[in-house]
Amino acid sequence: MSNPSKMKVYQEVLNEIRRFIQERELEDGDRIPSERELSDQLNASRASVREALRAIELLGLIETRHGEGTFLRTYRPFHSVELLSTFVLTEAQTKDELKEVQYMLEQLCLQELKRLNVSEIEELESPDGASEQIHNGLFILLFNQLGNQLLLKIWHLVASFQQLTEQEAFDASDVQLIIDQIKRQEYDQAIDTHSRLYT
């Protein structure tokens, strides 16, 4: 069973790091407080702080460089995927639900196309690319254009899990057809074509 006091320290460390990053507008590679500094600020033992920092590092949010300190890292979904896949992907129902969630997120994205500037879609033309790469490239671009980074991160995490479970690739001709339909502003047809990818 978990120790409530340890969980409280872990949450306080997370909050302290978040405040530190926001107040100083830190970016990837910038230094965050040391174990000693966090221990003093939170009035917590260094052992508790160290344990919390290790957990955060496992998620790929920070990295510790020996003799230099602890530094912020850009969030990359594959870190979470590697850490959690053993637990998340064990049940068949979960695998089916992942596929359904990815489908729903992509459908939402396609339905929002009418208010987007899709001129950058030209970048996706890649006849030699694998269908999975073209598919992911398409939705990374579209989710970015929606302007909702949280939605993009959620989709990216779900898609990463889905790729670990799904051996069969998307149909390349259907993926390319979606791109062509978007270029012609045939949004309803693109939504219908996308549905075929998941049937």
Side-chain angles (χ1 to χ4, degrees), residues 158-177:
V158 170
S160 298
F161 275 124
Q162 173 65 8
Q163 287 172 20
L164 290 176
T165 66
E166 194 74 23
Q167 299 300 318
E168 185 177 348
F170 292 115
D171 187 291
S173 60
D174 278 341
V175 175
Q176 189 59 53
L177 179 57

Side-chain angles (χ1 to χ4, degrees), residues 13-14 16-34 53 56-57 59-65 68-76 79 153:
V13 171
L14 281 176
E16 187 66 28
I17 291 174
R18 187 181 70 244
R19 280 195 298 270
F20 188 90
I21 291 169
Q22 290 174 341
E23 291 171 0
R24 292 160 178 80
E25 299 181 349
L26 298 183
E27 299 179 352
D28 185 24
D30 289 338
R31 186 181 179 278
I32 65 171
S34 66
L53 287 174
I56 299 169
E57 188 169 16
L59 294 174
L61 300 176
I62 60 174
E63 66 173 330
T64 301
R65 303 173 192 166
E68 297 183 44
T70 305
F71 299 85
L72 184 66
R73 297 183 67 182
T74 299
Y75 173 74
R76 295 177 176 85
H79 289 295
K153 289 178 180 179

Side-chain angles (χ1 to χ4, degrees), residues 132-144:
E132 200 74 45
Q133 293 173 329
I134 298 173
H135 176 270
N136 287 348
L138 168 64
F139 282 99
I140 288 171
L141 172 63
L142 296 181
F143 276 113
N144 269 320

Side-chain angles (χ1 to χ4, degrees), residues 78-124:
F78 65 82
H79 289 295
S80 302
V81 171
E82 291 174 351
L83 183 65
L84 300 174
S85 60
T86 303
F87 304 97
V88 174
L89 304 179
T90 54
E91 298 182 11
Q93 180 179 349
T94 302
K95 296 177 183 179
D96 292 339
E97 289 172 349
L98 277 170
K99 187 173 184 179
E100 183 178 359
V101 170
Q102 182 177 355
Y103 168 76
M104 292 170 67
L105 289 170
E106 292 173 1
Q107 282 279 301
L108 173 64
C109 183
L110 290 170
Q111 289 166 9
E112 292 290 308
L113 285 180
K114 293 181 182 179
R115 68 180 182 85
L116 296 181
N117 173 15
V118 293
S119 60
E120 294 179 31
I121 204 75
E122 300 294 335
E123 299 174 5
L124 293 170

Side-chain angles (χ1 to χ4, degrees), residues 26-56:
L26 298 183
E27 299 179 352
D28 185 24
D30 289 338
R31 186 181 179 278
I32 65 171
S34 66
E35 287 179 10
R36 176 181 293 178
E37 291 168 326
L38 285 171
S39 178
D40 291 341
Q41 292 173 24
L42 299 173
N43 194 27
S45 71
R46 289 188 65 176
S48 296
V49 171
R50 186 179 303 116
E51 184 176 342
L53 287 174
R54 282 176 181 167
I56 299 169

